[in-house]
Amino acid sequence: MRLLILGTGSMANSHARNFSEIEGVTLAGAVDVDPGRAEAFRAQYNIERAFTSLEDALAWGEFDSVANVTPDSIHHTTTLQCIAAGKHVFCEKPLAANYEDATEMADKIEAGNLVGMVNLTYRNVAQLQAARKLVTSGQIGKVKHVEASYLQSWLVSKMWGDWQTESRWLWRLSKKHGSNGTLGDVGVHILDFVVYGTDTEIDEVFCRLKAFDKAPDNRIGEYELDANDSFTMTVSFTNGALGVVHSSRWATGHVNELRLRVYGDKGAFEVVHRHDGSKLSVCLGEDVENAIWKEVEVEPVATNYQRFVEAVKQGKTLEPSFRHAARLQKAIDLANVTESDRREHRLGV
């Protein structure tokens, strides 16, 4: 596979490192609007060519796949250009800024018989994949209730840097700088964690968003701090289960933690993924009567990067696909609507 990396921001480093370690993958090109950044990235990862526009790269055309690591707001336009040129696309999350754009991307990549996958990174958590098998095998029975959370603490801790002085954090708090807040930033991750781990889809959503006061007049320099930094959501699922999902950047003591608890009529599991490790705990069989939980050891799994390479090799899209990411975006879009009109909405999946 010959790969073009579109965009050379911080996440592009992860793409370059991971793809370069996979046998058979050649980093053919890199694109950045800044010539200096493009050349520096090319040299750092021994990439064949550097470009300052996607148009120039497509005119060259000596690659078959694209890792789209551009800003969220241009995933739609840049991906459509790649699809029109017959290129497979591995896109960063979120797939698009709204459900309409995401659906168009899914429609067009499927019509072009091309591979379209999204880098929902927490699919790489082996414990989550093992937990899903507990559902699909019937070991926990019929799923009744789900709890999920994505907790970060960067508004109360400087472990990731000082959000009050660093633009890489401040823009995430400002709508006019392109932020859709916590829901838009990490909502797609926790919702994917939920629907994948429970082997179901979201049917109805009801959400509350909150942007807490963070500075005088909620402004720091050019940044108006008006994007939500916490959300709470109630959901129903197509398998009949009920669930609660929440996230906050004010979660003191939680650097970056995803948690999923799933309760069935025969057993239950809990997946915890933190910055320092992951674990899967289960309550099954005879242990149900005495509420005994046991940690389960799991084997490593293939990464999204490896699955994309395999998908291109097979000529068949694997999950997480554009279509799946579009469904998640629909849930996020409707969650925003429920905040404004104060009533539950059905996805109609």
Side-chain angles (χ1 to χ4, degrees):
M1 189 177 84
R2 290 178 58 80
L3 180 73
L4 177 81
I5 298 182
L6 178 59
T8 65
S10 59
M11 193 61 193
N13 292 288
S14 178
H15 285 251
R17 287 193 301 268
N18 280 277
F19 279 120
S20 66
E21 293 172 357
I22 301 174
E23 184 178 355
V25 175
T26 298
L27 300 185
V31 180
D32 195 292
V33 294
D34 183 298
R37 285 201 305 263
E39 177 55 31
F41 191 84
R42 185 209 64 76
Q44 181 178 357
Y45 295 105
N46 196 30
I47 299 172
E48 291 180 7
R49 299 279 297 271
F51 303 90
T52 55
S53 74
L54 175 58
E55 290 77 11
D56 287 347
L58 290 173
W60 175 59
E62 294 183 21
F63 54 93
D64 52 66
S65 306
V66 178
N68 191 340
V69 205
T70 58
D72 300 352
S73 60
I74 60 172
H75 284 176
H76 175 246
T77 55
T78 52
T79 295
L80 292 185
Q81 286 179 264
C82 296
I83 294 171
K87 310 301 183 184
H88 307 291
V89 182
F90 184 65
C91 189
E92 262 305 314
K93 67 81 190 173
L95 179 59
N98 56 66
Y99 174 65
E100 182 180 4
D101 286 350
T103 298
E104 182 183 9
M105 294 160 74
D107 288 345
K108 289 195 173 180
I109 205 152
E110 290 169 4
N113 198 30
L114 297 165
V115 172
M117 294 174 61
V118 181
N119 191 26
L120 295 167
T121 53
Y122 297 110
R123 287 291 184 96
N124 302 333
V125 177
Q127 288 78 6
L128 178 66
Q129 295 198 29
R132 176 185 169 91
K133 292 177 182 177
L134 296 174
V135 177
T136 58
S137 67
Q139 290 185 71
I140 69 166
K142 184 173 176 58
V143 175
K144 300 291 189 181
H145 190 79
V146 178
E147 299 176 64
S149 60
Y150 193 149
L151 303 177
Q152 295 181 324
S153 60
W154 56 265
L155 285 176
V156 290
S157 167
K158 293 185 175 61
M159 189 168 182
W160 287 12
D162 185 354
W163 68 268
Q164 298 182 71
T165 61
E166 297 180 21
S167 60
R168 64 180 179 138
W169 302 116
L170 283 167
W171 82 265
R172 296 177 185 273
L173 304 173
S174 175
K175 291 180 180 178
K176 76 174 185 179
H177 286 82
S179 176
N180 290 314
T182 301
L183 180 62
D185 190 17
V186 303
V188 68
H189 279 313
I190 192 59
L191 291 181
D192 181 63
F193 215 71
V194 169
V195 299
Y196 180 74
T198 57
D199 187 37
T200 189
E201 297 288 347
I202 295 171
D203 184 26
E204 296 173 311
V205 299
F206 185 63
C207 187
R208 285 291 167 267
L209 307 173
K210 180 78 172 183
F212 291 93
D213 292 342
K214 291 175 281 295
D217 298 322
N218 268 323
R219 181 182 295 275
I220 295 178
E222 65 180 287
Y223 298 94
E224 185 175 350
L225 311 181
D226 56 352
N228 67 84
D229 38 53
S230 290
F231 74 80
T232 59
M233 182 187 300
T234 56
V235 297
S236 62
F237 299 97
T238 53
N239 66 1
L242 291 178
V244 291
V245 182
H246 67 99
S247 180
S248 181
R249 291 165 171 164
W250 295 95
T252 303
H254 297 271
V255 178
N256 190 67
E257 177 191 285
L258 291 87
R259 186 182 297 263
L260 174 64
R261 295 185 176 117
V262 177
Y263 305 100
D265 55 12
K266 293 181 180 179
F269 68 76
E270 178 184 59
V271 178
V272 180
H273 175 72
R274 291 166 40 90
H275 66 288
D276 54 1
S278 309
K279 70 176 183 177
L280 168 63
S281 301
V282 301
C283 183
L284 298 170
E286 295 179 357
D287 290 338
V288 170
E289 294 300 329
N290 299 301
I292 297 172
W293 289 78
K294 296 176 181 176
E295 186 172 349
V296 178
E297 296 297 323
V298 301
E299 296 296 321
V301 296
T303 66
N304 286 338
Y305 304 100
Q306 292 167 324
R307 284 196 292 274
F308 178 68
V309 172
E310 181 61 26
V312 172
K313 182 179 179 181
Q314 294 181 13
K316 178 183 178 182
T317 292
L318 302 176
E319 293 296 337
S321 66
F322 276 22
R323 186 65 63 187
H324 171 73
R327 287 195 295 267
L328 293 178
Q329 191 61 48
K330 186 174 186 180
I332 291 171
D333 287 1
L334 288 178
N336 278 297
V337 172
T338 67
E339 166 66 18
S340 59
D341 67 12
R342 300 285 171 167
R343 68 180 180 87
E344 188 175 65
H345 278 262
R346 170 162 283 167
L347 274 69
V349 293

